[in-house]
Amino acid sequence: MSEQLRPAPRLAIVVPCYNEEEVFPYCLLELKKLLGGMVEDGLIRPDSFLLFVNDGSRDTTWEQITEAVLGNTCVQGLKLSRNEGHQSALIAGLTAVDGSVEAVVSIDADLQDDINAVRHMVEAYRAGYDVVYGVRENRQTDTWFKRTSAEWFYRVMTSMGIRQVSNHADFRLLSRRALDALLRYSESNAYIRGLVPMVGFASTEVRYARAVRLAGESKYPLRKMVALAMDGITSMTIVPLRLIAAMGFCICVLALIIAFYVVVMKLTGNAVLGWPSIVLSIFFMGGVQMLSLGIIGEYIGKIYLETKKRPRFHVESLIQNDMSEK
């Protein structure tokens, strides 16, 4: 990118956590080793740190985070007052990173994303890139259904004009100016994967192989994946509304053609009396209307939530490595 390398940054690794008591010890150990190794190699500054965000966990996750902070100078903990969801927890962590941090990496606590890719991300940052996406090489660790649904999801999003990186979730590096630009997007229904490409700045990709989850359960079951997809579509594009208008126009044209056909059949004496066609048309139009109202209602609901301008999260406490609590 640039001929002259940027200096080693102060790096923050933000890790949203929700009921991760089983995997947290492994996560802490591996990320500490990663951080220490990069400090030794001169890739990052010695005051770089890990920030674990507790998203209203119901298990012992916060207690383990607290112990980790008290026992390690490179660990910080942020506790939200209630469960707000992965995207809000991630934004809370990014917001809590202070201005002295020059680069921030976000990664999930299950460490299915290859932490060794963080080294390459930092190298790309030092080469001049402001956004570095972690992109999966393949989805072999996923089920057939998840692979297929993910592929169709990215195709649908692309067809609607939404810019996002295929096979990229929330494993990425942002420079300070890219982070500041991202946080200026203040909508309640934030779809971070779609917002980051809108930030602009020089970007690149780091490819990696995704591992299987070592412990605990996935925090993105089918219900949450569908909800995330709906949030992504309705918060990033109005194409569905335009499709409704186009569908209504096509139905009107079809109705005129059928009406003309019925008149011709009546005049020629070939009209066939019966209720199946009537019932079918009623059910068809009823289904179209309900679907259209549902899509429009989803957008109205988003407008309703945005106009309230409610805070996306509330921070209960922030524990830093100087053993002070805010």
Side-chain angles (χ1 to χ4, degrees):
M1 182 66 182
S2 62
E3 296 183 0
Q4 186 174 4
L5 289 178
R6 287 170 169 167
R10 186 186 186 204
L11 177 71
I13 300 180
V14 176
V15 190
C17 302
Y18 176 64
N19 293 343
E20 299 288 2
E21 63 179 4
E22 295 182 51
V23 78
F24 181 81
Y26 170 78
C27 175
L28 174 64
L29 177 63
E30 293 301 313
L31 289 180
K32 279 176 54 183
K33 289 197 299 186
L34 172 70
L35 212 63
M38 288 194 294
V39 170
E40 289 180 3
D41 294 340
L43 285 176
I44 58 176
R45 284 168 42 185
D47 55 351
S48 300
F49 62 92
L50 310 173
L51 174 59
F52 293 99
V53 182
N54 180 52
D55 184 24
S57 299
R58 299 188 301 271
D59 58 11
T60 62
T61 298
W62 177 244
E63 287 74 12
Q64 293 188 49
I65 292 175
T66 302
E67 292 178 4
V69 173
L70 297 177
N72 300 275
T73 58
C74 64
V75 179
Q76 299 182 13
L78 181 71
K79 183 180 182 182
L80 303 187
S81 61
R82 59 185 293 271
N83 177 247
E84 299 287 356
H86 180 270
Q87 297 289 282
S88 293
L90 178 53
I91 292 176
L94 296 176
T95 304
V97 172
D98 63 69
S100 65
V101 172
E102 289 120 342
V104 57
V105 169
S106 57
I107 189 172
D108 291 340
D110 57 21
L111 293 193
Q112 287 185 264
D113 297 318
D114 184 7
I115 62 173
N116 293 315
V118 175
R119 285 179 168 269
H120 301 298
M121 290 180 176
V122 173
E123 290 170 353
Y125 162 81
R126 296 191 64 189
Y129 291 99
D130 290 288
V131 181
V132 187
Y133 300 101
V135 179
R136 297 174 60 170
E137 290 182 336
N138 56 65
R139 307 188 71 95
Q140 294 178 354
T141 57
D142 290 342
T143 62
W144 174 87
F145 174 78
K146 193 168 184 179
R147 286 198 304 270
T148 305
S149 60
E151 181 179 348
W152 277 102
F153 171 70
Y154 286 117
R155 287 182 179 179
V156 169
M157 298 288 273
T158 301
S159 67
M160 291 185 178
I162 301 173
R163 292 182 57 198
Q164 66 174 20
V165 179
S166 296
N167 293 321
H168 164 71
D170 289 301
F171 183 34
R172 68 179 71 87
L173 178 145
L174 298 173
S175 69
R176 166 50 59 181
R177 65 174 179 173
L179 175 60
D180 290 342
L182 175 64
L183 295 179
R184 279 196 282 270
Y185 291 92
S186 59
E187 58 254 47
S188 300
N189 302 284
Y191 181 64
I192 303 177
R193 303 177 195 183
L195 291 178
V196 172
M198 294 176 62
V199 167
F201 300 117
S203 65
T204 187
E205 298 177 1
V206 169
R207 296 191 170 270
Y208 67 96
R210 187 171 169 87
V212 296
R213 187 180 180 93
L214 291 180
E217 299 178 351
S218 171
K219 302 308 181 292
Y220 264 99
L222 178 61
R223 174 179 58 84
K224 288 190 175 182
M225 287 193 294
V226 171
L228 180 64
M230 287 296 296
D231 283 341
I233 293 172
T234 55
S235 65
M236 299 298 297
T237 179
I238 60 171
V239 169
L241 296 177
R242 292 175 176 170
L243 290 177
I244 290 175
M247 183 169 57
F249 176 78
C250 292
I251 291 174
C252 288
V253 172
L254 180 62
L256 290 174
I257 294 174
I258 294 174
F260 178 76
Y261 172 78
V262 170
V263 170
V264 172
M265 290 296 100
K266 182 68 174 178
L267 294 176
T268 58
N270 295 321
V272 178
L273 299 177
W275 58 268
S277 58
I278 298 175
V279 173
L280 180 62
S281 62
I282 291 174
F283 274 92
F284 174 71
M285 287 305 301
V288 170
Q289 290 172 351
M290 292 300 293
L291 175 62
S292 301
L293 287 173
I295 295 175
I296 294 171
E298 186 72 23
Y299 277 94
I300 293 174
K302 290 292 192 296
I303 296 170
Y304 171 74
L305 293 174
E306 292 294 340
T307 55
K308 284 180 174 293
K309 296 191 180 299
R310 291 174 174 171
R312 287 181 289 195
F313 54 85
H314 296 285
V315 175
E316 183 173 322
S317 59
L318 172 63
I319 304 178
Q320 297 180 316
N321 54 14
D322 59 358
M323 300 186 183
S324 64
E325 186 170 336
K326 297 183 178 180

